[in-house]
């Protein structure tokens, strides 16, 4: 009876409260939220037409159905969700991971580790909604508050004990993670990104700091000791645990890496040896977050060691396709820091040359574009500059920004991304590596207001199959 009642409450919430007029069904309450580029009050008639029986609004316009006027509809929604459903969320352990790079891989590794240990866990983030396997895609890394509550409640309904979620700076700024508190919060790193939105690195750091103010009294904050912005996240009121190579409560003593994986030694009270299939120093940071949390929740070291070797990165995160004696690596790296790290990592395990296909996203921070091209041309033998979600910006303008002030000549421009990938593959000789960066797991190219189906791994597969046919 208890289980039935719990499921009924979840379904009831999903059916009766809506902030998107298109999702309204007969009997729903429509809450008119004000956003950055849209206002829910503009869609009230649509909500009524679709069957809304009650409205929560900030404006009195004598609507044709029952309505309630409040000073802040978002605050109303958050308070409603908190009062009615936080008791269910409190029965799970919620882990929030923030940082410029590493959020997805860190959250995904932890999600997989817990599930492999028999602890049912959900993941919410850039690559979608997972409960052991993918349930569906999401529009944002951190969904808006109502969508997020629905996912958390769906996790609860499905028996999850833990939820690992990515928390973006925009998600925090837009108050998408209100109405509940976290059991663990994690900071990975902070490097240049999203300055089109935050304007300064300090604003960016402070936006992420908000997550560390949302910790339960008995919760734990886990902070990268090596990052220069760490003090923004080591708040006095929290129990803080640090990790890193240069110091910290959990400290990497040394590691050895080849193209098959990594062995590492870390110290926390005692020394522990771990073997993993993951490659790259930055992936050691990502894995260390899992090692820390598993230790904190009481998993035995023997189990941690076993699980570590079974873990894999998510699709589009250093996804490797073998081609003759060379490698084609697809990765989501789209910031200067991430690009530098993955190219240097692959240089360590590549006997031949490094070639790179990449572009810069439109309608985003323009200052990082020449920085990224300088990095790629200095670290790669050759680069192919191509499209990467131009949005409403002219692709030629994006390229012009990229090449501004860049003196290197070891690159060419091929805007058609599939043709750029084809050219990159054609350059491969024995023991070379081709890096295809920026889109990772994504399944479409955004051009203006259209999402055109495109996935890097599918393009590679098609080109390799064509090459096979030509050989035949």
């Amino acid at each position: 009876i208890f289980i039935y009642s719990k499921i009924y409450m979840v379904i009831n919430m999903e059916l009766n409260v809506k902030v998107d007029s298109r999702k309204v069904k007969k009997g729903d309450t429509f809450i008119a939220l004000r956003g950055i580029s849209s206002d829910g009050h503009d869609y009230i008639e649509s909500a009524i037409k679709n069957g809304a029986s009650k409205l929560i609004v900030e404006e009195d316009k004598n609507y044709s159905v029952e309505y309630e006027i409040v000073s802040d509809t978002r605050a109303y929604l958050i308070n409603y969700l908190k009062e009615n459903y936080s008791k269910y969320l409190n029965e799970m352990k919620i882990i929030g991971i923030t940082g410029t790079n590493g959020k997805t891989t860190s959250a995904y590794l932890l999600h997989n580790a817990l599930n492999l240990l028999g602890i049912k866990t959900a993941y919410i983030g850039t690559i979608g909604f997972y409960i052991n396997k993918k349930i569906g895609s999401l529009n944002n890394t951190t969904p808006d508050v109502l969508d997020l509550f629905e996912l958390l409640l769906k996790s609860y309904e499905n028996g999850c004990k833990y939820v690992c979620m990515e928390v973006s700076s925009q998600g925090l700024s837009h108050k998408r993670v209100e109405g509940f508190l976290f059991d663990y919060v994690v900071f990975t790193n902070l490097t240049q990104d999203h300055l089109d939105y935050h304007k300064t690195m300090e604003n960016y750091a402070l936006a992420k700091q908000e997550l560390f103010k949302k910790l339960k009294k008995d919760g734990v904050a886990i902070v990268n000791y090596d990052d220069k912005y760490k003090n923004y996240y080591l708040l006095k009121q929290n129990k803080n645990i640090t990790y890193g190579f240069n110091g910290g409560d959990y400290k990497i003593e040394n590691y050895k890496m080849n193209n098959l994986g990594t062995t590492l030694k870390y110290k926390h009270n005692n020394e522990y040896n771990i073997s993993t299939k993951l490659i790259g120093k930055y992936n050691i940071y990502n894995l260390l977050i899992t090692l820390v949390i598993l230790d904190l929740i009481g998993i035995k070291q023997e189990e941690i060691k076993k699980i570590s070797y079974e873990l894999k990165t998510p699709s589009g995160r250093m996804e490797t396709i073998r081609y003759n004696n060379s490698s084609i690596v697809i990765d989501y790296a789209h910031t200067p820091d991430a690009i530098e790290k993955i190219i240097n990592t692959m240089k360590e395990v590549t006997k031949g040359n490094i070639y790179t296909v990449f572009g810069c996203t439109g309608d985003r921070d323009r200052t990082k574009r020449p920085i990224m091209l300088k990095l790629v041309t200095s670290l790669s033998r050759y680069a192919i500059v191509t499209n990467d979600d131009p949005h409403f910006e002219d692709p030629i303008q994006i390229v012009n920004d990229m090449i501004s002030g860049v003196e290197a000549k070891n690159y060419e421009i091929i805007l058609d991304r599939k043709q750029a990938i084809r050219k990159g593959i054609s350059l491969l000789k024995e023991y070379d590596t081709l890096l295809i960066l920026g889109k990772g797991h994504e399944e479409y190219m955004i051009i203006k207001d259209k999402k055109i189906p495109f996935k890097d791994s599918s393009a590679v597969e098609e080109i390799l199959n064509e090459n096979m046919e030509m050989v035949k």
Side-chain angles (χ1 to χ4, degrees):
I1 294 173
F2 172 72
I3 293 173
Y4 174 81
S5 175
K6 177 173 68 177
I7 293 174
Y8 172 79
M9 288 296 292
V10 174
I11 293 173
N12 187 54
M13 192 281 287
E14 290 179 347
L15 288 175
N16 288 313
V17 179
K18 296 291 186 300
V19 297
D20 185 337
S21 64
R22 295 167 297 183
K23 296 180 180 179
V24 169
K25 297 178 182 178
K26 186 175 181 179
D28 284 350
T29 294
F30 176 69
I31 303 178
L33 299 185
R34 297 190 190 278
I36 295 175
S37 58
S38 64
D39 186 343
H41 293 79
D42 296 335
Y43 301 95
I44 285 174
E45 289 306 318
S46 173
I48 294 171
K49 184 177 180 180
N50 287 338
S53 60
K54 184 177 179 180
L55 308 172
I56 306 298
V57 297
E58 295 177 11
E59 303 171 357
D60 187 353
K61 291 190 176 179
N62 194 26
Y63 302 105
S64 59
V65 298
E66 179 188 354
Y67 63 96
E68 180 179 346
I69 303 170
V70 298
S71 59
D72 186 332
T73 51
R74 181 169 290 275
Y76 175 95
L77 172 62
I78 291 167
N79 189 56
Y80 172 85
L81 294 171
K82 182 179 179 180
E83 287 186 354
N84 288 278
Y85 304 108
S86 61
K87 57 186 175 182
Y88 302 115
L89 274 54
N90 286 336
E91 293 184 28
M92 300 184 294
K93 299 289 186 183
I94 302 178
I95 302 164
I97 300 179
T98 197
T100 305
N101 300 311
K103 295 188 299 295
T104 300
T105 299
S106 298
Y108 183 83
L109 291 175
L110 181 56
H111 156 266
N112 278 5
L114 289 166
N115 280 301
L116 286 169
L117 288 164
I119 303 170
K120 198 166 187 180
T121 303
Y123 158 89
I124 299 170
T126 303
I127 59 173
F129 175 49
Y130 286 65
I131 301 179
N132 213 359
K133 61 181 180 180
K134 187 170 184 177
I135 308 299
S137 299
L138 304 175
N139 289 329
N140 296 303
T141 293
T142 307
D144 205 358
V145 61
L146 179 58
D147 294 328
L148 181 57
F149 259 79
E150 288 179 340
L151 293 174
L152 291 170
L153 289 165
K154 190 178 292 289
S155 302
Y156 172 74
E157 175 188 343
N158 280 276
C160 291
K161 302 298 181 185
Y162 284 78
V163 177
C164 303
M165 61 177 289
E166 299 178 51
V167 184
S168 66
S169 56
Q170 292 98 323
L172 289 159
S173 297
H174 297 160
K175 300 187 181 300
R176 296 175 188 164
V177 289
E178 300 296 320
F180 63 95
L181 297 174
F182 292 84
D183 296 271
Y184 298 90
V185 292
V186 181
F187 168 67
T188 62
N189 52 65
L190 197 78
T191 63
Q192 183 176 341
D193 199 17
H194 304 302
L195 295 190
D196 54 307
Y197 178 80
H198 295 292
K199 307 304 180 187
T200 68
M201 288 299 292
E202 183 177 18
N203 289 343
Y204 186 23
L206 290 171
K208 289 187 176 295
Q209 187 187 72
E210 290 302 309
L211 176 62
F212 293 77
K213 299 175 183 178
K214 300 181 182 300
L215 193 62
K216 292 180 180 177
K217 289 183 178 180
D218 59 348
V220 180
I222 300 164
V223 176
N224 182 352
Y225 179 92
D226 298 338
D227 194 272
K228 66 180 181 180
Y229 291 94
K230 65 183 176 185
N231 289 328
Y232 281 90
Y233 312 104
L234 294 170
L235 304 185
K236 291 181 179 179
Q237 68 267 29
N238 292 341
K239 177 182 177 181
N240 297 305
I241 296 289
T242 55
Y243 68 96
F245 281 77
N246 301 325
D249 300 298
Y250 291 77
K251 182 177 180 293
I252 297 293
E253 294 291 310
N254 57 63
Y255 72 100
K256 293 181 180 180
M257 182 177 69
N258 58 38
N259 62 349
L260 297 177
T262 305
T263 58
L264 62 96
K265 179 187 290 185
Y266 75 97
K267 186 175 183 179
H268 176 68
N269 300 325
N270 297 309
E271 289 188 343
Y272 304 100
N273 294 302
I274 295 290
S275 294
T276 174
K277 296 172 185 174
L278 307 182
I279 299 173
K281 187 175 180 179
Y282 60 94
N283 270 327
I284 298 176
Y285 278 109
N286 296 334
L287 176 63
L288 193 52
I289 292 166
T290 290
L291 302 181
V292 171
I293 292 178
L294 293 184
D295 185 49
L296 291 176
I297 67 175
I299 304 299
K300 294 179 180 179
Q301 282 297 324
E302 296 79 16
E303 287 295 310
I304 293 176
K305 187 173 182 178
K306 179 182 176 183
I307 290 301
S308 297
Y309 192 72
E310 296 183 47
L311 296 177
K312 298 178 181 178
T313 55
S315 173
R317 285 351 189 242
M318 204 177 275
E319 182 178 350
T320 302
I321 300 167
R322 302 296 176 189
Y323 176 53
N324 297 330
N325 289 326
S326 294
S327 298
I328 301 168
V329 178
I330 298 166
D331 195 85
Y332 190 59
H334 61 282
T335 67
D337 179 68
I339 285 175
E340 182 176 16
K341 284 177 177 175
I342 190 168
I343 297 178
N344 280 329
T345 292
M346 296 315 299
K347 287 179 77 170
E348 287 188 58
V349 298
T350 299
K351 293 180 182 179
N353 294 313
I354 300 286
Y355 300 96
T356 304
V357 174
F358 86 114
C360 290
T361 309
D363 296 336
R364 299 292 186 273
D365 180 10
R366 295 175 64 178
T367 64
K368 70 180 182 180
R369 291 172 182 172
I371 297 172
M372 290 165 68
L373 183 56
K374 286 177 183 177
L375 277 171
V376 171
T377 52
S378 65
L379 295 173
S380 307
R381 177 65 179 269
Y382 196 74
I384 300 102
V385 174
T386 190
N387 260 347
D388 183 342
D389 294 342
H391 292 274
F392 285 92
E393 196 169 353
D394 182 354
I396 301 299
Q397 177 61 58
I398 296 171
V399 170
N400 286 339
D401 284 348
M402 293 175 71
I403 66 177
S404 176
V406 177
E407 296 179 358
K409 303 298 182 184
N410 60 327
Y411 70 89
E412 66 180 282
I413 300 162
I414 303 176
L415 289 179
D416 184 308
R417 193 171 177 96
K418 185 173 182 180
Q419 295 307 317
I421 292 171
R422 188 188 305 278
K423 176 60 182 284
I425 293 173
S426 75
L427 296 174
L428 292 174
K429 300 291 188 282
E430 198 167 26
Y431 305 121
D432 290 341
T433 294
L434 173 65
L435 291 168
I436 304 171
L437 305 180
K439 294 189 67 61
H441 65 285
E442 293 178 348
E443 298 182 350
Y444 47 80
M445 181 79 72
I446 303 176
I447 301 176
K448 294 185 177 179
D449 58 350
K450 295 181 179 178
K451 291 184 176 181
I452 300 169
F454 185 90
K455 189 173 184 181
D456 284 344
S457 60
S458 298
V460 170
E461 191 175 313
E462 289 171 12
I463 293 165
L464 295 185
N465 286 337
E466 290 170 10
N467 291 350
M468 289 289 289
E469 289 299 319
M470 289 175 65
V471 171
K472 290 178 181 179

